Amino acid sequence: MILLLRHGETFWNRERRIQGHTESALTPQGERQAAAMARLVADLIKVEPGDWTLITSPIGRARQTADFVADATGLEPDVDHRLSEICCGEWEGQLWADISRRYPDAAGTGDQFFLAPGGETYDDVMGRASDWLGSLPPEPGRRVIAVSHGVWGRLLRGAYAELDRPATVVLPTPQDAIYRLQNGQIDRFDCAPVE
C-alpha cells in the first residue's frame, strides 16, 4: 500500500506562480491542510498495521508537509530525490498568466508543465516516478507514505494504474486529500475541510 500526499498550499500556489524545484513555503492554509492530511494518515495506518516508511521529496514544501505527518505518526521521514517535482526550467518563478500570454499553446493543457524551456519532459518525470515505484517492496506487504508534488503525484498514479499520457496529465492534484494505491486500485480520501 502507498499513501500519497501532495504538499499543502504554498504562497506561490496562491499567486499561481510556477514552482518546480524552486522553494516556496506553506501558507497558513497550507499548514492546516498538512495537519489535516497528517491526522488522516495516522488514522489510516492504525487500521493497516505493519512497518510503515515515510518518504518525502527533498523540496521544502514537501518536507514541511512530511514533518506534520512525522509528528502525527512518529515516523522519521526519509528523503528521496526521485519524488522531486518536475523541473520547470526557465518558467520557474513566473506567473501562469504571463506564461499563457507568451506561450498560448501551453495554456489549459494537461501537458503545460512539460513545455518549459530547459525543464524536464513527461518521460523524465515518468521515468523517476516509475523507477521509484519499481524500487518498492511488492504488495501486499508494502507500507509506504509518500509526500510529494502535484505533477509527480499525477504521474505516479498514472504509472500505477497503467494509464496513457492523455489520461495521466489531467488527473486531479488536491492539497487536502490522500490517495491510497493498493492492489491495483486507487482510492481518494478527502480531509475534513480546513478553515
Side-chain angles (χ1 to χ4, degrees), residues 3-193:
L3 298 178
L4 175 64
L5 295 70
R6 180 184 178 196
H7 60 80
E9 178 193 67
T10 67
F11 287 98
W12 280 18
N13 288 148
R14 184 176 286 170
E15 295 172 8
R16 300 221 3 96
R17 191 175 295 279
I18 300 167
Q19 295 177 117
H21 287 183
T22 307
E23 298 289 358
S24 178
L26 299 182
T27 63
Q29 171 76 359
E31 291 177 351
R32 289 188 294 273
Q33 290 169 331
M37 288 187 289
R39 287 189 298 272
L40 182 53
V41 166
D43 290 343
L44 290 171
I45 69 173
K46 283 179 190 170
V47 297
E48 292 287 343
D51 292 330
W52 283 89
T53 302
L54 173 58
I55 304 173
T56 183
S57 157
I59 299 173
R61 56 194 181 269
R63 291 186 72 160
Q64 277 185 279
T65 302
D67 286 343
F68 281 93
V69 176
D71 288 345
T73 62
L75 297 170
E76 192 66 35
D78 292 325
V79 173
D80 191 319
H81 290 270
R82 293 175 293 182
L83 276 67
S84 296
E85 181 60 300
I86 182 174
C87 173
C88 292
E90 296 174 17
W91 289 1
E92 291 193 13
Q94 297 187 45
L95 295 171
W96 272 117
D98 295 338
I99 295 298
S100 296
R101 279 193 294 277
R102 288 198 310 264
Y103 301 90
D105 293 342
T109 70
D111 277 326
Q112 61 203 20
F113 285 97
F114 309 108
L115 303 173
E120 286 184 288
T121 66
Y122 177 90
D123 290 337
D124 293 335
V125 182
M126 181 58 86
R128 286 194 283 113
S130 296
D131 182 64
W132 181 77
L133 185 60
S135 73
L136 298 178
E139 293 184 293
R142 177 187 304 162
R143 297 284 186 273
V144 177
I145 304 160
V147 182
S148 190
H149 306 271
V151 174
W152 190 90
R154 187 180 271 165
L155 271 59
L156 177 70
R157 286 181 283 139
Y160 184 82
E162 299 179 356
L163 300 177
D164 64 11
R165 181 175 176 156
T168 297
V169 298
V170 295
L171 291 172
T173 58
Q175 293 174 299
D176 58 356
I178 295 167
Y179 288 96
R180 180 178 65 195
L181 289 62
Q182 182 180 29
N183 300 325
Q185 294 281 117
I186 300 177
D187 299 302
R188 177 175 166 164
F189 296 87
D190 291 313
C191 294

